[in-house]
Amino acid sequence: MQSAFKILIVFSVMITTTSYSQSKNLKLWYDAPAANWNEALPIGNGRLGAMVFGNPVNENIQLNELTLWAGGPHRNDNPDAKDALKDVQSLLFQEKYDEAHRLANDKFLSKTSHGMPYETVGNLRLNFKNQDNYTNYYRELNIENAVNKTTYTANGVDYSREIFTSFTDNVIVIKLTANKKKSISFTASMDRPEPAKVEHFTENNNVLVMTGFGSNNKNKRLPKETEAIKGEVEFDSRIKIVTKGGRVEAKNNTLEVSKANSVLIYLSIATNFINYQDVSGDAHKKASDYIAFAEKKSYENLLESHTNFYQEYFNRVSLNLGTSEAAKLPTDVRIKEFKDGFDPELAALYFQYGRYLLISSSQPGGQPANLQGLWNKDLTPPWKSAYTVNINTEMNYWPAEVTNLTEMHEPLIEMVKDLSVAGQETAKVMYGAEGWVTHHNTDLWRICGPVDGATWGMWPTGGTWLTQHAWEKFMFNGDLEYLKSVYPAMKGASQFCLSVLTPEPTNGWLIVTPSISPEHGPKGRSKGVNIEAGTTMDNQLVFDMLTKTILAAQLLNVDAGLIKEMEAALAKLPPMQVGKYNQLQEWLKDLDDPEDKHRHVSHLYGLYPSNQISPYRNPELFKAAENTLIQRGDPSTGWSMNWKINLWARLLDGNHAYKLMGDQIKLVGRPGSPKGGGTYANMLDAHPPFQIDGNFGFTSGLTEMLVQSHNGAVHLIPALPDVWKDGKVTGLRARGGFEVSELVWENGKVVKAVIKSTLGGKLRIRSYNELQLERSNLLVEATGVNTNSFYQVPKIKNPLLTNATNIEQIALKPSYLYDVDTKKGEEITLIQK
């Protein structure tokens, strides 16, 4: 059924929604201190981060600053690659994979740097006197106001600690109080893990300073004669203690507080980093100035401005999936019992926790969230805590637009711009190509050459995937000025694709080679030999990159000649293929193993986050993607399970997506707990170890279950699981410049939807139950280009080749489509018919 609303024709009764207001239980809380780092609670302002343990006796606050990395400005291109390129391609076309792998390792991998690790600043330690025997213990992280709190009783005194990382004043603020005077005595010190070298000094008897540099770094994979990259990031970490009552003294690199009534601690960290080519800043002046500015304000003013800033972002989206008695339990207990119980509020909290983490780790003007977001306790963290761009960095930003945090997307977009400049030299030196390239990993210094080994690093489409985000942001804002700012990066990524596309010998299709399907290879190959020609994911990425650049060029009325080149190349790309096991093929040849349980499902990029595979446009591919996901299985590492939540949501199977949520929300990291991926007690994702992309993937996955906008329509509750029969969400965003101001469902059916059009143009709504228009109110004027006419379905269709003979038909729920002509700023209300 299809209907086009033209005028207001329906009057209806008001729908009561008060029972669906956002849950107020937006707290992680515990009845014991953190036993280890994976139980500490994260706070951050996009630049400064801390993990708070909440120990009454020996408090540890582990510190981070997002520009403190090892090494300094450098490049890591290998110029030997260009001369070896044809040889590697020839070996691949001859199916001499071992030889191609060895040659790629020798000639493509960097001889200077495999990337720098992100480093911890160190620790602030507060050691309290006479508080060993404590009772009434409680600690929480309130993600409604981004404040951490610890309370307990010792020796008849009630103690309280409040800690927040100020968004507005650039310091960490710690307030210590007690309900009896002269009860607060402790020492404060700072340290950094070995082998780091630091200096300590004190100023004016109440300021303690720790300074040092990021490490010199040389990867063990590099030749012995290779010199380490010198650590050039200087940092200054300092605390200032202000007491009411009592006194403060400096002793042996510590500050000692005696018999205070209350204490205020200002903690400031700064580095000399200016940009990836410039480390000429003054870390000491910045760190000192931050405290000097903050201490002019009262604690109440610091807290109020911090909270107001944070809530401007956080309060844009609310979610209510229902309530249960489980919400009365500590968070670690709820995580442990989630899969076998009913706790819809925990799913909603997990969703909002992802938004909290993104706001806290990615702020405009700063660096993007890395593999651990902002929070890392090590000098050499797992996988360097770098930017792994073969999925993990991209996954960090999947929630940005859809959950109304578009500003948080900016640091990633700015990194794409940086890489589009740095990667031009890499493209020229290594491939003799136009445009720009980066491979599977980058860092603060925007390295673009391959690292870690051909098994992982021989993947030249990292920049191609990252640049999808530049277009994705435009899909939500329709801002031509913004599009102009990112078009050079899009154009350069497409030019690289055009330069390196090579005809494969059998069909003459244009493919990327050498490359890999990230971190995975066909069955039967030598261990670690993943190198291939024309992987499905690369074909999908190139298709998206060229298609989107064509659309951008047409909107900006530029590069007519380049458009023709891209259109010609698109016509020669390989099609997606269905293999002998009715699976979507991962490689050009039918090499998939139905028993393969590998964590990466890279060829399903075409299903999510892309929109190339649709039940309405190419059901055969849609079913093949589902078969692939079934064959891979559900259990995996944390981030992989969360990607699968998104994939099952795109497959319109809410119950299976919810089942994976249960696989993810299981307590790991404690004695006797399950192994593998899951959730630590502090609700951070366990790969294991901790990777933040899993948290962000969960948030985007739950969003996809409630609202989708990739397939030509704003689809309401497309993948709702049976357990969430009634609920309400506000503030989610849809492509085309639409905001779902309010969405209410009862008994699995939409009963009310309020959608605001920020750009005007055609709004198409898809619903499983019949709706009718209630009212249309004109709100504020907005500016921009309506993208709804082209953002969903590429103008140039990807062809289909299938070898399958018995692939079953998909069964879709009947749906209703409604077209509404909207004006800029108009709000449309639909109700159940």
Side-chain angles (χ1 to χ4, degrees):
M1 174 181 178
Q2 183 169 334
S3 171
F5 292 130
K6 298 298 183 183
I7 56 175
L8 183 64
I9 56 173
V10 177
F11 296 89
S12 65
V13 297
M14 293 295 291
I15 297 174
T16 302
T17 60
T18 54
S19 61
Y20 300 118
S21 60
Q22 171 153 295
S23 167
K24 293 300 181 183
N25 294 316
L26 291 175
K27 295 179 181 179
L28 287 69
W29 72 271
Y30 307 84
D31 56 11
N36 53 53
W37 193 90
N38 291 320
E39 299 192 2
L41 295 171
I43 57 174
N45 69 356
R47 185 181 68 84
L48 299 177
M51 295 290 284
V52 185
F53 285 65
N55 193 312
V57 182
N58 304 119
E59 177 64 288
N60 180 23
I61 301 171
Q62 184 267 312
L63 305 171
N64 286 104
E65 205 278 355
L66 201 47
T67 62
L68 180 52
W69 292 62
H74 70 284
R75 299 193 62 86
N76 76 328
D77 311 327
N78 187 342
D80 295 341
K82 186 161 63 173
D83 289 339
L85 179 59
K86 294 295 183 184
D87 291 336
V88 175
Q89 291 172 340
S90 177
L91 289 169
L92 288 172
F93 291 148
Q94 296 175 62
E95 301 185 5
K96 296 180 179 179
Y97 300 107
D98 287 14
E99 294 177 47
H101 175 86
R102 287 193 293 270
L103 187 58
N105 257 335
D106 185 42
K107 300 297 184 181
F108 280 76
L109 270 291
S110 176
K111 297 294 194 291
T112 58
S113 164
H114 283 298
M116 297 295 109
Y118 171 56
E119 298 187 341
T120 180
V121 171
N123 304 282
L124 168 63
R125 302 189 188 274
L126 306 177
N127 297 316
F128 291 85
K129 297 179 180 179
N130 303 317
Q131 295 185 14
D132 299 72
N133 299 314
Y134 56 86
T135 58
N136 301 324
Y137 181 88
Y138 174 87
R139 66 183 173 109
E140 71 173 29
L141 174 61
N142 185 334
I143 66 170
E144 257 192 312
N145 60 13
V147 176
N148 171 277
K149 188 172 183 179
T150 303
T151 61
Y152 56 91
T153 302
N155 301 315
V157 180
D158 295 335
Y159 291 94
S160 176
R161 301 176 195 163
E162 287 187 349
I163 307 177
F164 62 90
T165 309
S166 173
F167 285 95
T168 48
D169 293 287
N170 260 308
V171 292
I172 298 174
V173 182
I174 305 168
K175 185 178 182 183
L176 310 176
T177 59
N179 69 343
K180 292 184 180 179
K181 293 183 177 181
K182 300 182 179 182
S183 296
I184 303 175
S185 298
F186 66 94
T187 59
S189 62
M190 289 188 287
D191 58 70
R192 196 160 191 246
E194 295 292 341
K197 305 296 182 185
V198 294
E199 293 184 3
H200 294 90
F201 58 90
T202 56
E203 296 177 353
N204 303 323
N205 218 39
N206 65 344
V207 176
L208 175 64
V209 183
M210 179 176 72
T211 65
F213 283 84
S215 304
N216 301 339
N217 188 271
K218 176 189 169 185
N219 190 283
K220 63 183 179 181
R221 297 177 185 273
L222 293 169
K224 291 181 179 179
E225 63 274 15
T226 305
E227 293 185 6
I229 304 297
K230 183 181 177 181
E232 296 187 57
V233 180
E234 185 178 17
F235 72 90
D236 181 308
S237 177
R238 60 180 59 207
I239 59 170
K240 180 171 185 177
I241 297 180
V242 178
T243 66
K244 286 188 177 179
R247 59 188 175 87
V248 185
E249 285 186 281
K251 294 182 179 179
N252 301 321
N253 295 330
T254 66
L255 297 180
E256 184 172 326
V257 175
S258 302
K259 297 182 178 180
N261 301 329
S262 65
V263 177
L264 202 56
I265 302 175
Y266 304 93
L267 195 160
S268 174
I269 310 168
T271 77
N272 64 344
F273 179 87
I274 294 177
N275 60 52
Y276 72 99
Q277 297 171 309
D278 187 350
V279 287
S280 65
D282 188 337
H284 311 297
K285 184 178 188 305
K286 287 195 288 184
S288 179
D289 287 350
Y290 288 142
I291 289 180
F293 181 79
E295 67 179 335
K296 294 177 182 178
K297 299 183 178 182
S298 69
Y299 176 80
E300 290 72 23
N301 285 341
L302 289 168
L303 179 60
E304 182 181 20
S305 60
H306 160 79
T307 301
N308 289 343
F309 181 96
Y310 170 77
Q311 290 183 341
E312 166 63 25
Y313 299 118
F314 185 78
N315 288 350
R316 292 174 183 173
V317 173
S318 67
L319 175 64
N320 191 315
L321 299 173
T323 61
S324 75
E325 291 297 306
K328 298 178 180 178
L329 299 172
T331 302
D332 53 336
V333 177
R334 296 172 71 186
I335 295 169
K336 185 176 182 180
E337 297 180 355
F338 179 84
K339 189 168 185 177
D340 297 322
F342 177 66
D343 191 353
E345 284 177 284
L346 186 61
L349 178 64
Y350 212 109
F351 164 86
Q352 291 285 29
Y353 190 46
R355 297 182 68 246
Y356 164 82
L357 292 170
L358 188 57
I359 297 168
S360 301
S361 62
S362 183
Q363 281 288 312
Q367 297 299 310
N370 60 44
L371 200 60
Q372 295 183 202
L374 173 60
W375 301 277
N376 160 45
K377 64 182 174 60
D378 300 311
L379 296 180
T380 54
W383 306 289
K384 296 168 286 201
S385 195
Y387 298 107
T388 305
V389 300
N390 66 12
I391 183 171
N392 312 99
T393 304
E394 290 87 354
M395 185 184 280
N396 284 0
Y397 288 88
W398 288 351
E401 300 298 331
V402 290
T403 72
N404 220 329
L405 297 176
T406 185
E407 295 90 346
M408 277 72 264
H409 212 166
E410 182 187 301
L412 183 72
I413 303 301
E414 292 303 312
M415 184 170 79
V416 171
K417 292 179 183 178
D418 288 347
L419 290 167
S420 73
V421 175
Q424 290 178 29
E425 181 74 7
T426 310
K428 181 180 178 181
V429 166
M430 294 189 63
Y431 294 91
E434 295 185 55
W436 67 278
V437 63
T438 194
H439 293 75
H440 96 292
N441 213 278
T442 190
D443 59 17
L444 184 71
W445 311 114
R446 306 306 189 241
I447 61 165
C448 295
V451 303
D452 296 340
T455 301
W456 307 273
M458 196 58 260
W459 187 63
T461 49
T464 314
W465 193 352
L466 277 176
T467 311
Q468 310 296 331
H469 282 260
W471 177 256
E472 181 76 354
K473 190 174 178 68
F474 175 70
M475 292 299 92
F476 290 83
N477 66 29
D479 184 344
L480 283 178
E481 288 303 311
Y482 161 78
L483 187 61
K484 287 179 185 177
S485 75
V486 297
Y487 180 72
M490 296 178 65
K491 177 181 177 179
S494 292
Q495 286 175 316
F496 177 77
C497 293
L498 293 175
S499 291
V500 301
L501 286 173
T502 303
E504 55 87 29
T506 304
N507 299 288
W509 292 326
L510 294 179
I511 61 171
V512 177
T513 180
S515 189
I516 59 172
S517 188
E519 304 189 23
H520 191 211
K523 183 180 180 180
R525 300 271 173 88
S526 302
K527 185 177 180 180
V529 176
N530 301 338
I531 196 165
E532 259 293 347
T535 68
T536 296
M537 184 192 205
D538 281 351
N539 303 333
Q540 294 168 339
L541 284 169
V542 172
F543 175 79
D544 268 357
M545 195 69 260
L546 298 183
T547 300
K548 293 169 182 177
T549 305
I550 288 170
L551 293 170
Q554 290 172 339
L555 280 169
L556 298 175
N557 196 27
V558 296
D559 291 328
L562 181 62
I563 290 174
K564 290 181 179 179
E565 287 184 57
M566 291 188 286
E567 289 175 338
L570 278 169
K572 297 179 181 179
L573 293 181
M576 287 181 276
Q577 301 177 80
V578 178
K580 60 187 174 184
Y581 299 110
N582 294 329
Q583 88 287 359
L584 186 70
Q585 287 183 199
E586 186 166 1
W587 296 280
L588 211 55
K589 295 181 180 179
D590 193 354
L591 303 173
D592 297 89
D593 176 7
E595 301 302 316
D596 185 356
K597 307 302 179 187
H598 198 272
R599 63 194 178 278
H600 281 265
V601 284
S602 302
H603 50 313
L604 296 187
Y605 162 88
L607 176 64
Y608 184 93
S610 185
N611 69 330
Q612 295 177 37
I613 299 173
S614 161
Y616 305 107
R617 289 183 282 115
N618 38 31
E620 212 166 25
L621 288 177
F622 185 82
K623 186 61 183 179
E626 181 182 58
N627 289 339
T628 291
L629 208 50
I630 291 170
Q631 290 164 13
R632 284 292 170 91
D634 293 340
S636 191
T637 58
W639 66 264
S640 179
M641 288 193 294
N642 286 287
W643 189 2
K644 290 172 184 176
I645 293 172
N646 290 269
L647 290 165
W648 280 109
R650 283 286 176 93
L651 289 168
L652 307 177
D653 190 337
N655 288 328
H656 203 136
Y658 182 79
K659 187 267 180 188
L660 272 153
M661 287 182 165
D663 292 341
Q664 171 63 23
I665 307 179
K666 68 174 187 289
L667 189 64
V668 300
R670 285 183 172 175
S673 64
K675 305 296 182 183
T679 299
Y680 293 117
N682 59 10
M683 221 156 72
L684 292 177
D685 166 66
H687 174 79
F690 163 52
Q691 284 188 196
I692 203 166
D693 43 16
N695 290 95
F696 296 135
F698 184 98
T699 298
S700 63
L702 195 150
T703 306
E704 289 291 314
M705 295 164 77
L706 301 182
V707 176
Q708 294 181 20
S709 63
H710 60 93
N711 204 21
V714 178
H715 194 167
L716 306 176
I717 54 173
L720 189 72
D722 293 341
V723 294
W724 299 338
K725 293 185 182 302
D726 305 321
K728 176 183 176 181
V729 66
T730 68
L732 298 180
R733 296 174 73 230
R735 295 166 184 85
F738 298 105
E739 181 171 316
V740 183
S741 303
E742 183 179 1
L743 174 61
V744 182
W745 65 93
E746 293 177 354
N747 199 28
K749 294 183 178 181
V750 175
V751 295
K752 183 179 182 182
V754 182
I755 301 176
K756 179 182 175 181
S757 173
T758 66
L759 302 174
K762 185 78 71 179
L763 166 62
R764 172 167 285 190
I765 299 164
R766 185 185 296 275
S767 173
Y768 292 136
N769 61 283
E770 202 167 359
L771 303 174
Q772 59 191 16
L773 187 68
E774 184 189 49
R775 64 179 182 269
S776 171
N777 295 328
L778 190 64
L779 301 179
V780 297
E781 281 291 307
T783 60
V785 174
N786 178 263
T787 59
N788 198 35
S789 60
F790 60 79
Y791 73 89
Q792 312 287 6
V793 183
K795 291 184 177 180
I796 304 165
K797 298 290 181 68
N798 205 350
L800 166 67
L801 170 72
T802 176
N803 300 319
T805 57
N806 62 341
I807 191 164
E808 60 186 287
Q809 295 297 308
I810 61 171
L812 291 175
K813 293 168 68 173
S815 60
Y816 298 86
L817 285 176
Y818 301 100
D819 288 340
V820 186
D821 292 313
T822 71
K823 299 176 182 178
K824 286 185 278 187
E826 193 173 18
E827 195 167 74
I828 305 299
T829 300
L830 301 135
I831 61 172
Q832 183 178 13
K833 188 171 182 178

